[in-house]
Amino acid sequence: MIHQAASSNKRALVLAGGGAAGHAWELGLIAGLSDAGVDVTEADLIIGTSAGATVAAQITSGRRPAELYAAVLAEMPPPLRLHPPHVGAAGSDRGRARSFSGPDYLQWSNDIIGAAEDASDMRRRMGAAALEMEVSDGSSQTRWRDIVAARLPSLHWAQQPLLITAVDARTGEPVVLDRHSGVDLVDAVAASTSAMTPYRIGEHRYLNGGYRRSENADLAAGCGRVLVLSPFGGSSRMPLEWGMDLATQVEELRAGGSTVVTVFPDGGAGDVFNASALDPSTRPQAARGGYGQGRGLAEALTEIWR
């Protein structure tokens, strides 16, 4: 593999997926760091995946981390889920609303991962299965877009470099969206958070960016300093030989000359980074845990970030 030489002047912030709990933990941690004097929102590049895409759009909106953190604790916005599945795979369920729990989603996706030969095959299979569950009247898409839009302080891309990941459901090809892609910010975030049903943008259908590669930290190649927030602790449900895991991405970045720091939730966020992560009731504790963790890490991160 060819590694891009790192520039010591650039800092990248990588925000991975993690459901409702991961979103709250990342916002809390960023607010804790900020209140302790380390503002990671000033990164030269921000990479957002799934729930991390929502965080990325929020922290580049002009709202301060403390405001975003306070909003999580005070108002408890609509549940932050992956684009919720609404349609059965066959028969009379097609076109009718259904609801799935976190364990349902994990079982569905684990079965697809287990049948796949490699990452590309997994993405193609995942896309095909998701397209079978597409709602024909578009009602699911409209509801999901409205939910995503309600979470974002600004509906427009910032000038600050921001990459949002997704997967093309029809081809299985990885996709990276930015302000030059011709895609609205709301649609980019909605696509990255989409899971069991695809999200339509024009003639394309998109799935969750975590199927491109877990944290997608590899997109920070060329940055001298990379900070990765990983709610699921760098774990991957994919076979290690596929190279989807965070450890492989970190190894690649370091081989290219980047200094990489990874941050995982500690006990303060609660034991929620499993199937429970999609449950919105996890948000307050996860946010508070992240905030405390951020304040505690600020001194150690000062040297690498400033």
Side-chain angles (χ1 to χ4, degrees):
M1 179 173 292
I2 298 175
H3 301 285
Q4 183 177 349
S7 166
S8 61
N9 295 323
K10 292 189 175 182
R11 301 168 297 178
L13 174 64
V14 179
L15 301 166
H23 172 265
W25 174 76
E26 288 180 349
L27 280 182
L29 192 138
I30 291 168
L33 286 172
S34 178
D35 285 354
V38 179
D39 188 357
V40 297
T41 70
E42 296 178 343
D44 300 288
L45 173 65
I46 297 179
I47 298 160
T49 296
S50 194
T54 304
V55 176
Q58 290 172 322
I59 66 173
T60 57
S61 68
R63 292 277 298 275
R64 297 303 304 153
E67 296 177 74
L68 296 168
Y69 172 62
V72 172
L73 299 182
E75 296 185 0
M76 294 303 295
L80 182 73
R81 296 186 296 264
L82 302 168
H83 179 199
H86 295 287
V87 184
S92 60
D93 284 333
R94 190 169 183 83
R96 288 176 17 194
R98 292 179 61 191
S99 61
F100 286 73
S101 65
D104 288 332
Y105 167 70
L106 289 177
Q107 183 63 56
W108 177 84
S109 53
N110 282 340
D111 287 346
I112 295 171
I113 293 167
E117 296 180 358
D118 54 29
S120 295
D121 185 41
M122 179 273 296
R123 295 187 195 103
R124 288 191 294 269
R125 289 172 180 264
M126 197 74 70
L131 288 168
E132 284 293 315
M133 304 176 76
E134 187 173 19
V135 178
S136 58
D137 64 3
S139 59
S140 171
Q141 162 126 353
T142 300
R143 286 193 297 271
W144 187 239
R145 192 182 196 281
D146 289 345
I147 289 172
V148 170
R151 295 192 186 111
L152 304 186
S154 171
L155 305 184
H156 306 289
W157 292 91
Q159 292 298 307
Q160 184 175 7
L162 167 61
L163 303 180
I164 292 179
T165 63
V167 170
D168 189 307
R170 285 180 169 161
T171 66
E173 290 298 311
V175 176
V176 180
L177 302 169
D178 64 13
R179 64 187 178 91
H180 303 293
S181 301
V183 173
D184 288 347
L185 177 63
V186 176
D187 287 325
V189 174
S192 188
T193 51
S194 186
M196 291 173 75
T197 51
Y199 186 84
R200 178 200 299 261
I201 302 178
E203 296 301 314
H204 297 277
R205 306 289 189 278
Y206 294 100
L207 287 180
N208 192 277
Y211 294 121
R212 177 194 176 273
R213 210 173 177 190
S214 56
E215 288 76 7
N216 292 300
D218 59 293
L219 294 174
C223 294
R225 293 166 286 170
V226 182
L227 176 62
V228 183
L229 306 188
S230 177
F232 288 121
S235 64
S236 175
R237 293 185 291 133
M238 318 295 174
L240 291 180
E241 57 267 27
W242 292 3
M244 301 277 281
D245 60 296
L246 178 58
T248 299
Q249 297 169 57
V250 169
E251 182 181 350
E252 292 169 2
L253 288 169
R254 288 175 175 163
S258 299
T259 298
V260 185
V261 174
T262 58
V263 180
F264 306 149
D266 62 15
D271 184 19
V272 295
F273 292 106
N274 44 46
S276 299
L278 299 181
D279 185 346
S281 69
T282 63
R283 289 168 57 79
Q285 182 174 349
R288 294 188 183 97
Y291 182 84
Q293 191 176 357
R295 289 189 65 89
L297 288 172
E299 183 176 354
L301 288 179
T302 298
E303 183 176 351
I304 179 180
W305 198 255
R306 288 183 174 173

mmCIF file of all heavy atoms in Angstrom, residues 209-242:
data_model
loop_
_atom_site.group_PDB
_atom_site.id
_atom_site.type_symbol
_atom_site.label_atom_id
_atom_site.label_comp_id
_atom_site.label_asym_id
_atom_site.label_seq_id
_atom_site.Cartn_x
_atom_site.Cartn_y
_atom_site.Cartn_z
ATOM 1 N N GLY A 209 -21.999 5.009 6.502
ATOM 2 C CA GLY A 209 -20.582 5.165 6.202
ATOM 3 C C GLY A 209 -19.670 4.202 6.926
ATOM 4 O O GLY A 209 -18.523 3.996 6.522
ATOM 5 N N GLY A 210 -20.168 3.582 8.013
ATOM 6 C CA GLY A 210 -19.347 2.629 8.743
ATOM 7 C C GLY A 210 -19.047 1.373 7.954
ATOM 8 O O GLY A 210 -18.145 0.615 8.320
ATOM 9 N N TYR A 211 -19.786 1.153 6.858
ATOM 10 C CA TYR A 211 -19.497 -0.004 6.016
ATOM 11 C C TYR A 211 -18.410 0.304 4.991
ATOM 12 O O TYR A 211 -17.934 -0.597 4.311
ATOM 13 C CB TYR A 211 -20.763 -0.497 5.322
ATOM 14 C CG TYR A 211 -21.769 -1.040 6.305
ATOM 15 C CD1 TYR A 211 -23.044 -0.497 6.414
ATOM 16 C CD2 TYR A 211 -21.420 -2.085 7.164
ATOM 17 C CE1 TYR A 211 -23.955 -0.992 7.333
ATOM 18 C CE2 TYR A 211 -22.320 -2.569 8.088
ATOM 19 C CZ TYR A 211 -23.593 -2.022 8.168
ATOM 20 O OH TYR A 211 -24.479 -2.509 9.084
ATOM 21 N N ARG A 212 -18.028 1.567 4.894
ATOM 22 C CA ARG A 212 -16.858 1.886 4.075
ATOM 23 C C ARG A 212 -15.621 1.330 4.776
ATOM 24 O O ARG A 212 -14.826 0.611 4.192
ATOM 25 C CB ARG A 212 -16.719 3.401 3.876
ATOM 26 C CG ARG A 212 -15.461 3.772 3.098
ATOM 27 C CD ARG A 212 -15.137 5.252 3.197
ATOM 28 N NE ARG A 212 -13.871 5.517 2.510
ATOM 29 C CZ ARG A 212 -12.679 5.408 3.076
ATOM 30 N NH1 ARG A 212 -12.562 5.021 4.349
ATOM 31 N NH2 ARG A 212 -11.587 5.660 2.379
ATOM 32 N N ARG A 213 -15.484 1.702 6.029
ATOM 33 C CA ARG A 213 -14.410 1.236 6.900
ATOM 34 C C ARG A 213 -14.729 1.801 8.274
ATOM 35 O O ARG A 213 -14.968 2.988 8.387
ATOM 36 C CB ARG A 213 -13.059 1.733 6.399
ATOM 37 C CG ARG A 213 -11.899 0.819 6.724
ATOM 38 C CD ARG A 213 -10.627 1.272 6.049
ATOM 39 N NE ARG A 213 -9.511 0.420 6.445
ATOM 40 C CZ ARG A 213 -8.254 0.693 6.155
ATOM 41 N NH1 ARG A 213 -7.944 1.790 5.471
ATOM 42 N NH2 ARG A 213 -7.290 -0.119 6.539
ATOM 43 N N SER A 214 -14.704 1.024 9.301
ATOM 44 C CA SER A 214 -15.220 1.433 10.614
ATOM 45 C C SER A 214 -15.091 2.933 10.902
ATOM 46 O O SER A 214 -15.985 3.720 10.595
ATOM 47 C CB SER A 214 -14.568 0.604 11.721
ATOM 48 O OG SER A 214 -13.158 0.700 11.654
ATOM 49 N N GLU A 215 -13.988 3.384 11.462
ATOM 50 C CA GLU A 215 -13.832 4.801 11.802
ATOM 51 C C GLU A 215 -13.511 5.684 10.598
ATOM 52 O O GLU A 215 -13.635 6.897 10.666
ATOM 53 C CB GLU A 215 -12.732 4.976 12.860
ATOM 54 C CG GLU A 215 -13.091 4.510 14.244
ATOM 55 C CD GLU A 215 -13.070 3.006 14.402
ATOM 56 O OE1 GLU A 215 -12.638 2.304 13.459
ATOM 57 O OE2 GLU A 215 -13.473 2.521 15.462
ATOM 58 N N ASN A 216 -13.029 5.086 9.517
ATOM 59 C CA ASN A 216 -12.617 5.832 8.319
ATOM 60 C C ASN A 216 -11.476 6.802 8.603
ATOM 61 O O ASN A 216 -11.352 7.849 7.948
ATOM 62 C CB ASN A 216 -13.813 6.553 7.694
ATOM 63 C CG ASN A 216 -14.818 5.581 7.107
ATOM 64 O OD1 ASN A 216 -14.495 4.803 6.220
ATOM 65 N ND2 ASN A 216 -16.033 5.594 7.632
ATOM 66 N N ALA A 217 -10.635 6.440 9.553
ATOM 67 C CA ALA A 217 -9.485 7.280 9.903
ATOM 68 C C ALA A 217 -8.475 7.363 8.768
ATOM 69 O O ALA A 217 -7.674 8.304 8.714
ATOM 70 C CB ALA A 217 -8.813 6.745 11.173
ATOM 71 N N ASP A 218 -8.488 6.392 7.856
ATOM 72 C CA ASP A 218 -7.539 6.409 6.740
ATOM 73 C C ASP A 218 -7.686 7.654 5.879
ATOM 74 O O ASP A 218 -6.743 8.056 5.191
ATOM 75 C CB ASP A 218 -7.714 5.160 5.880
ATOM 76 C CG ASP A 218 -9.119 5.027 5.309
ATOM 77 O OD1 ASP A 218 -10.063 4.825 6.087
ATOM 78 O OD2 ASP A 218 -9.278 5.149 4.089
ATOM 79 N N LEU A 219 -8.862 8.298 5.932
ATOM 80 C CA LEU A 219 -9.081 9.510 5.147
ATOM 81 C C LEU A 219 -8.258 10.686 5.674
ATOM 82 O O LEU A 219 -8.168 11.723 5.011
ATOM 83 C CB LEU A 219 -10.561 9.879 5.137
ATOM 84 C CG LEU A 219 -11.483 8.899 4.419
ATOM 85 C CD1 LEU A 219 -12.941 9.297 4.594
ATOM 86 C CD2 LEU A 219 -11.128 8.812 2.934
ATOM 87 N N ALA A 220 -7.663 10.530 6.847
ATOM 88 C CA ALA A 220 -6.811 11.574 7.417
ATOM 89 C C ALA A 220 -5.366 11.462 6.943
ATOM 90 O O ALA A 220 -4.501 12.204 7.416
ATOM 91 C CB ALA A 220 -6.856 11.520 8.941
ATOM 92 N N ALA A 221 -5.081 10.549 6.012
ATOM 93 C CA ALA A 221 -3.719 10.402 5.489
ATOM 94 C C ALA A 221 -3.206 11.750 4.986
ATOM 95 O O ALA A 221 -3.905 12.471 4.281
ATOM 96 C CB ALA A 221 -3.700 9.371 4.361
ATOM 97 N N GLY A 222 -1.986 12.087 5.358
ATOM 98 C CA GLY A 222 -1.406 13.359 4.978
ATOM 99 C C GLY A 222 -1.422 14.376 6.098
ATOM 100 O O GLY A 222 -0.724 15.389 6.022
ATOM 101 N N CYS A 223 -2.226 14.136 7.132
ATOM 102 C CA CYS A 223 -2.252 15.034 8.288
ATOM 103 C C CYS A 223 -1.206 14.584 9.309
ATOM 104 O O CYS A 223 -1.079 13.387 9.584
ATOM 105 C CB CYS A 223 -3.634 15.045 8.933
ATOM 106 S SG CYS A 223 -4.918 15.767 7.875
ATOM 107 N N GLY A 224 -0.509 15.528 9.858
ATOM 108 C CA GLY A 224 0.558 15.188 10.795
ATOM 109 C C GLY A 224 0.067 14.690 12.128
ATOM 110 O O GLY A 224 0.713 13.867 12.778
ATOM 111 N N ARG A 225 -1.096 15.192 12.568
ATOM 112 C CA ARG A 225 -1.656 14.806 13.863
ATOM 113 C C ARG A 225 -3.110 14.401 13.675
ATOM 114 O O ARG A 225 -3.891 15.160 13.086
ATOM 115 C CB ARG A 225 -1.541 15.975 14.849
ATOM 116 C CG ARG A 225 -0.104 16.309 15.236
ATOM 117 C CD ARG A 225 -0.025 17.665 15.918
ATOM 118 N NE ARG A 225 -0.197 18.765 14.966
ATOM 119 C CZ ARG A 225 -0.364 20.038 15.327
ATOM 120 N NH1 ARG A 225 -0.428 20.351 16.602
ATOM 121 N NH2 ARG A 225 -0.487 20.968 14.405
ATOM 122 N N VAL A 226 -3.447 13.244 14.174
ATOM 123 C CA VAL A 226 -4.796 12.699 13.974
ATOM 124 C C VAL A 226 -5.355 12.261 15.327
ATOM 125 O O VAL A 226 -4.742 11.458 16.038
ATOM 126 C CB VAL A 226 -4.781 11.496 13.010
ATOM 127 C CG1 VAL A 226 -6.207 10.978 12.789
ATOM 128 C CG2 VAL A 226 -4.128 11.869 11.678
ATOM 129 N N LEU A 227 -6.512 12.785 15.664
ATOM 130 C CA LEU A 227 -7.220 12.396 16.886
ATOM 131 C C LEU A 227 -8.473 11.638 16.491
ATOM 132 O O LEU A 227 -9.307 12.156 15.745
ATOM 133 C CB LEU A 227 -7.593 13.634 17.704
ATOM 134 C CG LEU A 227 -8.434 13.405 18.964
ATOM 135 C CD1 LEU A 227 -7.694 12.534 19.971
ATOM 136 C CD2 LEU A 227 -8.840 14.742 19.595
ATOM 137 N N VAL A 228 -8.612 10.415 16.987
ATOM 138 C CA VAL A 228 -9.739 9.549 16.631
ATOM 139 C C VAL A 228 -10.606 9.303 17.863
ATOM 140 O O VAL A 228 -10.113 8.808 18.878
ATOM 141 C CB VAL A 228 -9.255 8.188 16.079
ATOM 142 C CG1 VAL A 228 -10.451 7.335 15.648
ATOM 143 C CG2 VAL A 228 -8.280 8.376 14.934
ATOM 144 N N LEU A 229 -11.884 9.664 17.765
ATOM 145 C CA LEU A 229 -12.843 9.341 18.817
ATOM 146 C C LEU A 229 -13.657 8.143 18.358
ATOM 147 O O LEU A 229 -14.382 8.226 17.360
ATOM 148 C CB LEU A 229 -13.765 10.532 19.100
ATOM 149 C CG LEU A 229 -13.099 11.869 19.422
ATOM 150 C CD1 LEU A 229 -14.152 12.893 19.880
ATOM 151 C CD2 LEU A 229 -12.008 11.720 20.454
ATOM 152 N N SER A 230 -13.529 7.036 19.074
ATOM 153 C CA SER A 230 -14.158 5.782 18.657
ATOM 154 C C SER A 230 -15.052 5.244 19.771
ATOM 155 O O SER A 230 -14.559 4.600 20.713
ATOM 156 C CB SER A 230 -13.083 4.745 18.296
ATOM 157 O OG SER A 230 -13.679 3.511 17.962
ATOM 158 N N PRO A 231 -16.365 5.483 19.706
ATOM 159 C CA PRO A 231 -17.265 5.021 20.762
ATOM 160 C C PRO A 231 -17.204 3.517 21.014
ATOM 161 O O PRO A 231 -17.359 3.073 22.157
ATOM 162 C CB PRO A 231 -18.648 5.437 20.248
ATOM 163 C CG PRO A 231 -18.375 6.636 19.403
ATOM 164 C CD PRO A 231 -17.076 6.324 18.713
ATOM 165 N N PHE A 232 -16.998 2.727 19.964
ATOM 166 C CA PHE A 232 -16.959 1.273 20.146
ATOM 167 C C PHE A 232 -15.551 0.748 20.432
ATOM 168 O O PHE A 232 -15.277 -0.442 20.292
ATOM 169 C CB PHE A 232 -17.547 0.572 18.924
ATOM 170 C CG PHE A 232 -19.045 0.716 18.827
ATOM 171 C CD1 PHE A 232 -19.631 1.303 17.706
ATOM 172 C CD2 PHE A 232 -19.881 0.283 19.839
ATOM 173 C CE1 PHE A 232 -21.009 1.450 17.605
ATOM 174 C CE2 PHE A 232 -21.263 0.426 19.760
ATOM 175 C CZ PHE A 232 -21.829 1.010 18.639
ATOM 176 N N GLY A 233 -14.671 1.645 20.823
ATOM 177 C CA GLY A 233 -13.360 1.215 21.299
ATOM 178 C C GLY A 233 -12.474 0.591 20.243
ATOM 179 O O GLY A 233 -11.605 -0.222 20.558
ATOM 180 N N GLY A 234 -12.689 0.958 18.992
ATOM 181 C CA GLY A 234 -11.851 0.420 17.926
ATOM 182 C C GLY A 234 -12.211 -0.985 17.493
ATOM 183 O O GLY A 234 -11.537 -1.562 16.642
ATOM 184 N N SER A 235 -13.274 -1.538 18.047
ATOM 185 C CA SER A 235 -13.661 -2.906 17.687
ATOM 186 C C SER A 235 -14.330 -2.921 16.322
ATOM 187 O O SER A 235 -14.848 -1.913 15.852
ATOM 188 C CB SER A 235 -14.608 -3.493 18.731
ATOM 189 O OG SER A 235 -15.815 -2.766 18.769
ATOM 190 N N SER A 236 -14.320 -4.089 15.689
ATOM 191 C CA SER A 236 -14.958 -4.245 14.384
ATOM 192 C C SER A 236 -15.654 -5.592 14.325
ATOM 193 O O SER A 236 -15.132 -6.600 14.814
ATOM 194 C CB SER A 236 -13.906 -4.156 13.266
ATOM 195 O OG SER A 236 -14.501 -4.428 12.008
ATOM 196 N N ARG A 237 -16.828 -5.603 13.717
ATOM 197 C CA ARG A 237 -17.538 -6.871 13.526
ATOM 198 C C ARG A 237 -17.077 -7.596 12.272
ATOM 199 O O ARG A 237 -17.517 -8.704 12.006
ATOM 200 C CB ARG A 237 -19.049 -6.606 13.457
ATOM 201 C CG ARG A 237 -19.630 -6.122 14.768
ATOM 202 C CD ARG A 237 -21.145 -5.976 14.697
ATOM 203 N NE ARG A 237 -21.544 -4.880 13.824
ATOM 204 C CZ ARG A 237 -22.486 -4.965 12.894
ATOM 205 N NH1 ARG A 237 -23.096 -6.122 12.671
ATOM 206 N NH2 ARG A 237 -22.804 -3.921 12.162
ATOM 207 N N MET A 238 -16.192 -6.969 11.520
ATOM 208 C CA MET A 238 -15.684 -7.569 10.293
ATOM 209 C C MET A 238 -14.462 -8.441 10.602
ATOM 210 O O MET A 238 -13.724 -8.178 11.547
ATOM 211 C CB MET A 238 -15.273 -6.485 9.289
ATOM 212 C CG MET A 238 -16.223 -5.318 9.191
ATOM 213 S SD MET A 238 -17.842 -5.764 8.540
ATOM 214 C CE MET A 238 -18.719 -4.201 8.744
ATOM 215 N N PRO A 239 -14.215 -9.478 9.807
ATOM 216 C CA PRO A 239 -12.990 -10.274 9.985
ATOM 217 C C PRO A 239 -11.753 -9.389 9.886
ATOM 218 O O PRO A 239 -11.684 -8.475 9.045
ATOM 219 C CB PRO A 239 -13.051 -11.273 8.819
ATOM 220 C CG PRO A 239 -14.511 -11.394 8.502
ATOM 221 C CD PRO A 239 -15.079 -10.025 8.730
ATOM 222 N N LEU A 240 -10.768 -9.619 10.739
ATOM 223 C CA LEU A 240 -9.586 -8.770 10.779
ATOM 224 C C LEU A 240 -8.832 -8.760 9.455
ATOM 225 O O LEU A 240 -8.228 -7.742 9.088
ATOM 226 C CB LEU A 240 -8.651 -9.228 11.905
ATOM 227 C CG LEU A 240 -9.164 -8.988 13.327
ATOM 228 C CD1 LEU A 240 -8.147 -9.498 14.342
ATOM 229 C CD2 LEU A 240 -9.465 -7.510 13.566
ATOM 230 N N GLU A 241 -8.885 -9.874 8.722
ATOM 231 C CA GLU A 241 -8.151 -9.923 7.456
ATOM 232 C C GLU A 241 -8.728 -8.961 6.408
ATOM 233 O O GLU A 241 -8.059 -8.666 5.406
ATOM 234 C CB GLU A 241 -8.125 -11.344 6.890
ATOM 235 C CG GLU A 241 -9.471 -11.978 6.650
ATOM 236 C CD GLU A 241 -9.959 -12.808 7.834
ATOM 237 O OE1 GLU A 241 -9.565 -12.509 8.984
ATOM 238 O OE2 GLU A 241 -10.734 -13.754 7.604
ATOM 239 N N TRP A 242 -9.904 -8.431 6.641
ATOM 240 C CA TRP A 242 -10.471 -7.452 5.716
ATOM 241 C C TRP A 242 -9.830 -6.078 5.885
ATOM 242 O O TRP A 242 -9.970 -5.224 5.019
ATOM 243 C CB TRP A 242 -11.977 -7.320 5.911
ATOM 244 C CG TRP A 242 -12.765 -8.533 5.499
ATOM 245 C CD1 TRP A 242 -12.276 -9.735 5.034
ATOM 246 C CD2 TRP A 242 -14.192 -8.671 5.523
ATOM 247 N NE1 TRP A 242 -13.301 -10.603 4.772
ATOM 248 C CE2 TRP A 242 -14.493 -9.977 5.057
ATOM 249 C CE3 TRP A 242 -15.228 -7.831 5.887
ATOM 250 C CZ2 TRP A 242 -15.798 -10.452 4.960
ATOM 251 C CZ3 TRP A 242 -16.527 -8.285 5.796
ATOM 252 C CH2 TRP A 242 -16.818 -9.589 5.331
#
